[in-house]
Amino acid sequence: MIPFSDLKSQYAALKPQIQERINRVLDHGQYIMGPEVGELEQQLSAYTESKHCITVASGTEALLISLMALNLKPGDEVITTPFTFAATAEMVVLVGGVPVFVDIEPDTCNIDASLIEAAITPRTKAIIPVSLYGQCADMDEINAIAARHGNIPVIEDAAQSFGATYKGRRSCNLSTIGCTSFFPSKPLGCYGDGGAVFTNDDALAQACREIRVHGQSARYTHTRVGVGGRMDTLQCAIVLAKLERFAWEIEQRERIGARYREWIREAGAPAELLTVRPDRSCVWGQFTVMVSDRDGVQKRLQARGIPTAVHYPRPLHQQPAYAVYAGSRGLPRSETAAGRVMSLPMSADLTPEQQRAVVDALLTA
Ligand SMILES: *Cc1c(COP(=O)(O)O)cnc(C)c1O
């Protein structure tokens, strides 16, 4: 069986570094807000060239804390894509906001920037594009629209795209705020839950830091309402160890993605490839293709030891919890994509032999 996301090989390659980092934390005993937290934040700031990095409990928490820092109020509208993991819209609703869904580009599955302007109203308080599958949304176009409408804040949901570039700049540092996740199977993962918020805005960074620790501006001075949203020292230590190999892993993911695309094209396999725009790199948080008869293809691949997954089988406006926000705009491309997308095994340690087996299986599936 080929692993869908090969975390075992990654651990085998980094075992001494990870164990040493974990042992150091166990020895100093500062399990909450220990020195590894600031060390990781510094390294991630440097990597993204973002002025501030605030580590938080998860990617979901990063979105929540960002929306709280932007002071989102009940009834405020947030424009986003329905073709994403639920957390994107979930946090909007949790703070009382109203997700306004805008359809996707059929060839990248990212939000279609050209449809955003028509969805803006005086109540629009944020835009959340998702950099789906590891390719950034058209951030500059979205930033320009936001700027034309009174500088609406733009939050990049970069949970799947940490390490990707857009016009030479890093994902997470492309708009007002960038949010990422260190869920184990994301491009940069820990061994539990973790995430981070990135911004170049000093006041927003300060707000996020306070909100992360129950709104405290000093110990037991609760300046605002916050959450318990910290990332554990141990999880930060694990990400620090993984950073040693991260540049190589990103290169690998890009190489493996390119090889999949070349071989699927060459073989004439019945799988449609997504477009990667020439001004960005894709880190393939998921390697996703479009197929017809997805259920049948998945079953036949499974029988040959090839696991697959669907990101995502139903757009959010068709989910029971979010149908109330479906609006009247019509989101046909998201619905079509949800019926056709299928993700193949992807990780930095996937070998060419394993990839060959996947493509061969696709040909006969
Ligand atoms: C994974 C993911 C999240 C949530 O991240 P967690 O760390 O699991 O909370 C949010 N948005 C998208 C697009 C994701 O893929």
Side-chain angles (χ1 to χ4, degrees):
M1 191 83 184
I2 294 175
F4 185 74
S5 174
D6 190 358
L7 296 173
K8 280 195 180 142
S9 298
Q10 187 197 46
Y11 179 52
L14 291 167
K15 197 167 177 172
Q17 294 95 313
I18 289 174
Q19 293 196 333
E20 196 206 311
R21 279 282 187 178
I22 288 176
N23 285 336
R24 224 185 286 167
V25 176
L26 296 178
D27 284 337
H28 69 53
Q30 295 177 61
Y31 302 122
I32 298 293
M33 297 306 283
E36 284 79 3
V37 177
E39 188 183 346
L40 178 62
E41 290 174 347
Q42 247 171 21
Q43 289 210 26
L44 297 180
S45 280
Y47 182 80
T48 56
E49 298 184 67
S50 186
K51 189 168 178 196
H52 303 281
C53 168
I54 301 101
T55 56
V56 296
S58 67
T60 304
E61 204 78 15
L63 291 164
L64 174 64
I65 291 172
S66 299
L67 290 167
M68 290 173 77
L70 290 172
N71 210 14
L72 206 84
K73 292 272 190 310
D76 286 349
E77 293 175 359
V78 178
I79 293 172
T80 191
T81 164
F83 197 54
T84 178
F85 182 59
T88 316
E90 184 180 37
M91 292 305 106
V92 173
V93 174
L94 194 71
V95 296
V98 178
V100 174
F101 294 122
V102 164
D103 214 358
I104 55 172
E105 302 170 336
D107 61 336
T108 65
C109 292
N110 277 329
I111 192 168
D112 186 338
S114 72
L115 302 175
I116 288 177
E117 205 140 27
I120 293 176
T121 76
R123 299 165 82 103
T124 306
K125 291 293 152 58
I127 304 173
I128 311 185
V130 177
S131 294
L132 199 72
Y133 305 143
Q135 174 175 209
C136 292
D138 197 355
M139 297 302 294
D140 278 356
E141 188 55 33
I142 296 166
N143 290 331
I145 293 163
R148 281 204 293 279
H149 291 269
N151 286 319
I152 301 168
V154 177
I155 303 174
E156 183 196 10
D157 182 342
Q160 300 179 11
S161 62
F162 193 79
T165 58
Y166 173 91
K167 300 184 184 175
R169 287 133 55 207
R170 291 275 178 205
S171 180
C172 290
N173 185 18
L174 302 173
S175 61
T176 320
I177 294 179
C179 291
T180 199
S181 163
F182 305 124
F183 186 87
S185 59
K186 306 280 177 169
L188 179 61
C190 57
Y191 288 160
D193 278 309
V197 177
F198 295 84
T199 184
N200 293 311
D201 181 312
D202 295 344
L204 278 177
Q206 182 60 23
C208 289
R209 286 192 188 283
E210 292 177 10
I211 292 165
R212 172 176 70 174
V213 288
H214 304 284
Q216 294 174 96
S217 51
R219 193 157 200 205
Y220 298 124
T221 303
H222 300 272
T223 307
R224 57 173 83 233
V225 173
V227 294
R230 297 162 301 228
M231 182 168 166
D232 300 349
T233 311
L234 274 169
Q235 297 301 343
C236 290
I238 288 159
V239 176
L240 279 167
K242 289 201 188 185
L243 276 180
E244 291 186 21
R245 202 176 85 130
F246 186 61
W248 176 83
E249 286 191 5
I250 290 296
E251 278 171 27
Q252 272 295 100
R253 282 178 168 276
E254 289 176 11
R255 203 172 295 138
I256 289 164
R259 195 184 292 136
Y260 258 145
R261 293 165 69 78
E262 188 189 321
W263 287 358
I264 287 172
R265 253 192 229 112
E266 264 177 23
E272 198 181 309
L273 300 170
L274 296 174
T275 301
V276 180
R277 302 262 185 256
D279 57 359
R280 18 208 131 146
S281 71
C282 184
V283 296
W284 303 112
Q286 309 292 348
F287 188 87
T288 304
V289 296
M290 306 265 195
V291 292
S292 351
D293 180 29
R294 181 174 61 202
D295 287 353
V297 173
Q298 284 194 282
K299 275 200 201 89
R300 291 187 287 275
L301 287 174
Q302 183 69 26
R304 290 170 174 76
I306 317 282
T308 55
V310 177
H311 305 96
Y312 297 90
R314 256 208 267 184
L316 295 184
H317 66 283
Q318 295 185 324
Q319 291 283 357
Y322 302 97
V324 63
Y325 306 109
S328 55
R329 214 171 311 275
L331 302 157
R333 295 167 181 172
S334 299
E335 291 166 19
T336 303
R340 300 188 62 216
V341 289
M342 182 183 78
S343 306
L344 299 174
M346 168 55 79
S347 36
D349 294 286
L350 194 71
T351 65
E353 294 70 33
Q354 289 174 319
Q355 278 196 278
R356 178 52 74 188
V358 173
V359 176
D360 284 350
L362 253 185
L363 263 179
T364 51

